[in-house]
Amino acid sequence: MSVRPILAIGHPVLREVAVDVVVDEIQGEDVRSLINDLIDTMRDASGAGLAANQIGVAQRIIVMEVGENPRYPYKPRLPLTVAINPVITALDDEMVEINEGCLSVPLRGNVQRNVNIRVDYFDRDGVAHGETKRGLTAGTWQHEVDHLDGVLITDRAAPGSLATWAEYETHHRDAFVERITAFVERVGS
Ligand code: ZN
């Protein structure tokens, strides 16, 4: 287990469409080791999620976890989740604008996300899951699965909304946190 370097925007592997993991290999040593590195690296960087592309491996594996997070203090808690070969299906047309950051991009920006989604995936034991996700948790899933398709927040953000973290904190944070806190209270996640 180890903390790996996180690749930044401009690295070609962030633009690769990651390939499915062979289900019979989920419990093999290579996949187990990769998952442990993803978790260690995400926690070391205080990320809410990390996709395998971001540490240079174009395989369809994401990890997510939100506890007390200094980068995203308004995010509801999300227990450690490992998702292999995740597939997202929008359940309706309800959208929310979320100001997102990314460990591979030194900017934040406003991105439109579906509020209600279904996720189908395998966990690290190779067990298949089909679940519904809602609100900011659904947004986190969509952000991470975008990475597996080679998509970054700079592709989806309203161009005029892009800001460095310092400028976000000075000019945009208070209004965003007020709006998104009311949203989280309304949808419950
Ligand atoms: Zn990201």
Side-chain angles (χ1 to χ4, degrees):
M1 303 210 311
S2 57
V3 173
R4 308 251 297 250
I6 298 175
L7 304 178
I9 183 170
H11 195 294
V13 75
L14 292 172
R15 295 307 191 173
E16 283 184 34
V17 177
V19 298
D20 276 336
V21 176
V22 177
V23 173
D24 286 348
E25 295 175 3
I26 287 175
Q27 291 183 275
E29 187 48 40
D30 289 351
V31 174
R32 294 175 85 94
S33 167
L34 173 58
I35 290 168
N36 286 329
D37 286 359
L38 282 166
I39 294 168
D40 287 352
T41 305
M42 171 181 66
R43 288 176 171 168
D44 179 70
S46 298
L50 194 68
N53 307 50
Q54 292 177 277
I55 61 169
V57 181
Q59 294 189 33
R60 298 189 82 83
I61 305 175
I62 58 177
V63 299
M64 291 158 283
E65 182 179 46
V66 180
E68 284 293 327
N69 189 308
R71 281 167 64 90
Y72 307 104
Y74 47 83
K75 280 199 182 206
R77 287 173 181 262
L78 168 58
L80 177 64
T81 304
V82 176
I84 300 163
N85 303 345
V87 175
I88 290 177
T89 308
L91 292 177
D92 56 35
D93 293 334
E94 186 179 356
M95 306 296 288
V96 59
E97 185 176 71
I98 304 173
N99 185 282
E100 296 187 4
C102 177
L103 293 172
S104 294
V105 179
L107 298 171
R108 296 182 62 128
N110 290 339
V111 181
Q112 296 287 334
R113 297 295 189 189
N114 282 95
V115 174
N116 298 297
I117 61 172
R118 174 188 168 93
V119 294
D120 290 277
Y121 64 99
F122 294 92
D123 67 20
R124 63 196 308 183
D125 296 319
V127 177
H129 294 254
E131 300 161 357
T132 58
K133 303 293 176 188
R134 185 164 161 80
L136 290 191
T137 298
T140 299
W141 276 83
Q142 289 165 82
H143 178 113
E144 299 310 328
V145 172
D146 268 354
H147 276 299
L148 302 181
D149 293 327
V151 174
L152 298 173
I153 56 171
T154 43
D155 308 345
R156 291 201 186 274
S161 74
L162 290 168
T164 64
W165 278 74
E167 299 298 346
Y168 160 77
E169 282 166 16
T170 302
H171 299 290
H172 306 288
R173 179 181 60 193
D174 290 353
F176 171 64
V177 170
E178 184 177 335
R179 176 172 65 81
I180 212 67
T181 300
F183 169 79
V184 169
E185 285 172 5
R186 180 170 69 79
V187 307
S189 59

